[in-house]
């Protein structure tokens, strides 16, 4: 396709030169009397204002200096026209162009180029639409972790502040939360460890009890396999009481799981709260420390019937911990959030085959999309260039510019269009290289995940 364009460009260049040569020969053969008559007519005909002294093109944007500017540049009046469509409508538009003086300078040339470009500028598809697909090869878990482990260590951090005594239907938030925890713990694989930490479960919401309540932060069920009677005993040790020392609870949870390093374990932390920190701590900082620790946990912040204002802080905590935030309105939703990160139903051998094929397919499709987008950009740039070239020929024929001016203006315009093509070439190389790197990384991740899980089966 590009060869075709270059051939056409060469043809147009020759066409311009040849047209000029023919006109020069015709003028050279004009009889002296005819030449005098023409000069006399030129004196009688009022000359149109030249480009420099008029307001012509003053409202036309500057030529784009990069692809981002080209993307934002508005589509031209004749953006749908093709090179062969230099019809009467375009010719009529070009007839409004003022005559270019014989001593026109480069500034005047550039003003004419900008005007012509503004007429024919195409709409371009945004390269960022292609970039969205660069992440190939989805991980098997919703968290997109580097690898799934068979041994789970699950800690639930439960808000036991006074507001958990508020009712949702016929039961309190605390009663609903405890029931959901029982069901969830019973559903865990027998190899999994579960722990439960509560906070704010002492004192009252009164100011005099604030210090006592803010210091109440207790691991009531240490990391161990599920035991129904022992968990029931732990759940019976506390009830909704006072303030909300959320930051302290997150810090303590990091210590609770310190022995379970992320390379050998799958650590999941659920923070269930119906409100924000009220003890002066900084739960966002605590969450950042948790994320940076060696336990590499999946963090789920669950807002239990939280208002919009409090939800903002909980969302910030989840973001700082590299986790997710969900707001639930009832017990069923709470139960579902508990289950999401623990389900294992994949056949790892089939998973590896499927994900490897998906990664290759997505990568190939990605490359096709890239080539399609960049080829389309190149084609549109050349179409703009050819229309500018044809327009210069037409302006020459209308006597607006001379043949030599047409050649010089075309050469300046060609530099601009060639630069745009070079930028598209660079963009294409960058996107293709990024896609290849993503594919290589993804296939290695798939092999690593498969090896870790199969070796543990």
């Amino acid at each position: 396709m590009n060869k075709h364009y270059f051939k056409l460009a060469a043809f147009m260049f020759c066409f311009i030169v040849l047209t000029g040569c023919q006109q020069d020969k015709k003028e050279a053969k004009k009889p002296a009397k005819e030449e005098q008559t023409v000069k006399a007519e030129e004196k009688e005909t009022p000359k149109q204002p030249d480009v420099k002294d008029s307001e012509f093109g003053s409202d036309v944007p500057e030529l784009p200096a990069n692809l981002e500017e080209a993307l934002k540049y508005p589509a031209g009046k004749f953006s749908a026209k093709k090179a062969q469509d230099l019809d009467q409508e375009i010719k009529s538009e070009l007839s409004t162009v003022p005559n270019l003086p014989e001593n026109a300078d480069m500034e005047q040339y550039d003003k004419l180029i900008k005007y012509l470009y503004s007429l024919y500028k195409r709409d371009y598809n945004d390269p960022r639409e292609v970039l969205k697909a660069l992440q190939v090869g989805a991980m098997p878990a919703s968290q997109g972790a580097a690898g799934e482990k068979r041994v789970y260590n699950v800690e639930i951090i439960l808000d036991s502040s006074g507001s958990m005594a508020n009712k949702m239907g016929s039961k309190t938030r605390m009663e609903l939360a405890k029931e959901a925890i029982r069901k969830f713990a019973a559903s865990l694989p027998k190899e999994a460890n579960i722990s439960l930490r509560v906070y704010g479960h002492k004192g009252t919401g009164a100011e005099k009890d604030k210090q006592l309540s803010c210091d109440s932060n207790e691991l009531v069920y240490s990391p161990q396999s599920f035991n129904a009677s022992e968990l029931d005993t732990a759940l019976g040790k506390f009830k909704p009481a006072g303030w909300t020392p959320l930051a302290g609870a997150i810090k303590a949870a990091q210590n609770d799981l310190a022995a379970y390093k992320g390379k050998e374990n799958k650590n999941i932390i659920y923070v269930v709260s119906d409100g924000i920190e009220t003890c002066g701590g900084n739960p966002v900082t605590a969450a950042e420390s948790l994320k940076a620790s060696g336990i590499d946990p999946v963090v789920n912040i669950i807002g239990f019937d939280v208002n919009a204002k409090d939800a903002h802080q909980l969302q910030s905590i989840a973001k700082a911990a590299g986790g997710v935030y969900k707001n639930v309105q009832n017990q069923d939703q709470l139960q579902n959030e508990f289950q999401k990160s623990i389900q294992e139903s994949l056949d790892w051998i089939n998973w590896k085959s499927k994900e490897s094929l998906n990664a290759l397919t997505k990568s190939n499709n990605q490359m096709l999309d890239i080539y399609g987008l960049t080829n389309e950009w190149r084609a549109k740039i050349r179409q703009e260039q050819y229309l500018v070239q044809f327009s210069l020929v037409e302006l020459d024929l209308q006597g607006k510019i001379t043949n030599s001016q047409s050649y010089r203006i075309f050469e300046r315009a060609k530099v601009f269009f060639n630069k745009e093509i070079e930028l598209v070439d660079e963009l294409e190389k960058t996107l293709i290289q990024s896609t290849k790197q993503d594919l290589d990384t993804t296939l290695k991740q798939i092999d690593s995940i498969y090896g870790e899980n199969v070796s543990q089966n």
Side-chain angles (χ1 to χ4, degrees):
M1 183 180 290
N2 288 336
K3 290 182 178 179
H4 170 71
Y5 286 141
F6 284 117
K7 288 180 180 178
L8 182 56
F11 168 76
M12 283 305 306
F13 171 73
C14 295
F15 177 74
I16 292 172
V17 174
L18 288 173
T19 301
C21 292
Q22 290 173 353
Q23 288 179 337
D24 290 341
K25 289 178 180 179
K26 288 180 181 179
E27 290 182 4
K29 293 179 180 179
K30 283 182 180 179
K33 291 183 179 180
E34 183 180 340
E35 185 175 347
Q36 291 174 358
T37 303
V38 171
K39 288 183 178 179
E41 289 176 353
E42 287 179 350
K43 289 181 180 179
E44 295 174 3
T45 304
K47 186 179 181 182
Q48 297 184 44
D50 62 40
V51 176
K52 186 174 183 180
D53 297 332
S54 71
E55 294 301 318
F56 169 72
S58 60
D59 59 343
V60 175
E62 293 296 321
L63 293 175
N66 52 54
L67 296 184
E68 181 70 17
E69 291 182 10
L71 187 66
K72 295 178 180 178
Y73 196 103
K77 179 178 179 181
F78 302 124
S79 62
K81 297 286 187 180
K82 297 180 180 179
Q84 61 267 32
D85 291 340
L86 201 64
D87 54 19
Q88 192 56 45
E89 186 180 12
I90 295 180
K91 291 179 181 180
S92 177
E93 174 73 26
L94 295 177
S95 69
T96 65
V97 175
N99 289 353
L100 197 67
E102 291 183 4
N103 61 345
D105 54 25
M106 296 304 174
E107 182 181 350
Q108 291 167 285
Y109 289 174
D110 290 341
K111 183 179 288 189
L112 181 56
I113 293 171
K114 287 194 298 182
Y115 169 72
L116 294 176
Y117 179 80
S118 72
L119 293 179
Y120 307 122
K121 168 63 173 59
R122 264 61 173 149
D123 263 328
Y124 298 153
N125 289 327
D126 194 332
R128 285 167 291 203
E129 294 300 319
V130 175
L131 289 174
K132 291 179 181 179
L134 285 178
Q135 297 300 322
V136 294
M139 296 298 101
S142 61
Q143 299 299 324
E148 293 294 314
K149 321 301 195 294
R150 282 186 62 82
V151 178
Y152 287 91
N153 300 291
V154 181
E155 177 150 329
I156 298 173
I157 306 174
L158 181 61
D159 183 356
S160 190
S161 61
S163 57
M164 287 291 285
N166 294 340
K167 287 200 170 183
M168 295 179 69
S170 61
K171 297 181 180 180
T172 66
R173 292 173 180 169
M174 180 58 77
E175 288 172 333
L176 295 174
K178 286 182 176 180
E179 289 176 5
I181 290 171
R182 287 190 186 95
K183 291 180 182 178
F184 171 63
S187 71
L188 291 173
K190 63 180 181 179
E191 299 86 1
N193 295 317
I194 184 169
S195 54
L196 175 64
R197 176 172 288 278
V198 295
Y199 59 92
H201 57 296
K202 294 182 180 179
T204 68
E207 188 67 33
K208 65 181 180 64
D209 286 335
K210 182 175 181 179
Q211 191 59 52
L212 172 63
S213 184
C214 288
D215 289 340
S216 59
N217 195 328
E218 183 179 355
L219 185 66
V220 295
Y221 191 87
S222 58
Q224 58 187 289
S225 59
F226 169 67
N227 182 294
S229 62
E230 290 184 15
L231 182 60
D232 282 343
T233 299
L235 290 170
K237 290 180 179 179
F238 57 91
K239 60 182 180 179
W243 298 67
T244 312
L246 179 54
I250 294 174
K251 290 179 182 178
Q254 182 176 327
N255 293 329
D256 296 340
L257 298 174
Y260 304 101
K261 299 302 181 183
K263 290 183 178 180
E264 295 81 29
N265 299 273
K266 178 66 174 180
N267 298 314
I268 303 174
I269 295 177
Y270 295 91
V271 179
V272 181
S273 179
D274 70 344
I276 60 174
E277 169 78 33
T278 60
C279 291
N282 190 330
V284 173
T285 300
E288 290 173 345
S289 176
L290 179 64
K291 180 182 179 181
S293 69
I295 64 175
D296 191 27
V298 172
V299 180
N300 300 275
I301 308 294
I302 303 175
F304 200 13
D305 198 25
V306 173
N307 61 47
K309 182 179 179 181
D310 290 354
H312 180 70
Q313 186 188 78
L314 296 180
Q315 287 172 337
S316 298
I317 296 170
K319 182 178 180 180
V324 295
Y325 168 78
K326 291 290 184 179
N327 188 30
V328 300
Q329 303 294 329
N330 54 55
Q331 187 183 39
D332 287 341
Q333 290 178 356
L334 178 60
Q335 185 70 41
N336 288 337
E337 288 304 318
F338 278 142
Q339 295 291 348
K340 277 183 181 178
S341 296
I342 210 66
Q343 294 174 344
E344 281 191 302
S345 59
L346 292 175
D347 181 328
W348 285 102
I349 296 177
N350 289 339
W351 174 83
K352 180 185 178 182
S353 176
K354 177 182 175 183
E355 288 304 321
S356 296
L357 179 60
N358 284 345
L360 289 167
T361 301
K362 289 179 181 179
S363 180
N364 289 336
N365 289 340
Q366 174 70 29
M367 291 186 184
L368 289 175
D369 289 343
I370 291 170
Y371 287 128
L373 180 137
T374 52
N375 285 337
E376 183 180 32
W377 270 56
R378 291 188 191 95
K380 289 183 177 181
I381 290 170
R382 290 309 184 198
Q383 289 166 6
E384 294 162 357
Q385 178 181 346
Y386 298 148
L387 280 163
V388 169
Q389 291 175 230
F390 276 109
S391 296
L392 291 172
V393 173
E394 177 62 25
L395 289 172
D396 185 2
L397 293 174
Q398 291 186 16
K400 304 285 186 179
I401 59 178
T402 66
N403 178 251
S404 60
Q405 287 175 333
S406 175
Y407 171 75
R408 288 194 292 270
I409 295 171
F410 164 62
E411 287 299 312
R412 289 183 69 80
K414 189 166 67 172
V415 171
F416 163 72
F417 288 114
N418 285 345
K419 180 61 178 176
E420 284 207 315
I421 293 294
E422 290 176 6
L423 292 173
V424 174
D425 291 344
E426 292 174 8
L427 174 66
E428 181 181 271
K429 290 178 182 177
T430 300
L431 295 180
I432 292 297
Q433 183 62 30
S434 178
T435 300
K436 290 179 178 178
Q437 290 175 351
D438 282 349
L439 175 61
D440 183 61
T441 299
T442 300
L443 292 176
K444 288 179 180 178
Q445 288 176 339
I446 291 171
D447 287 342
S448 175
I449 295 169
Y450 172 79
E452 289 173 4
N453 286 275
V454 171
S455 65
Q456 294 176 12
N457 284 335

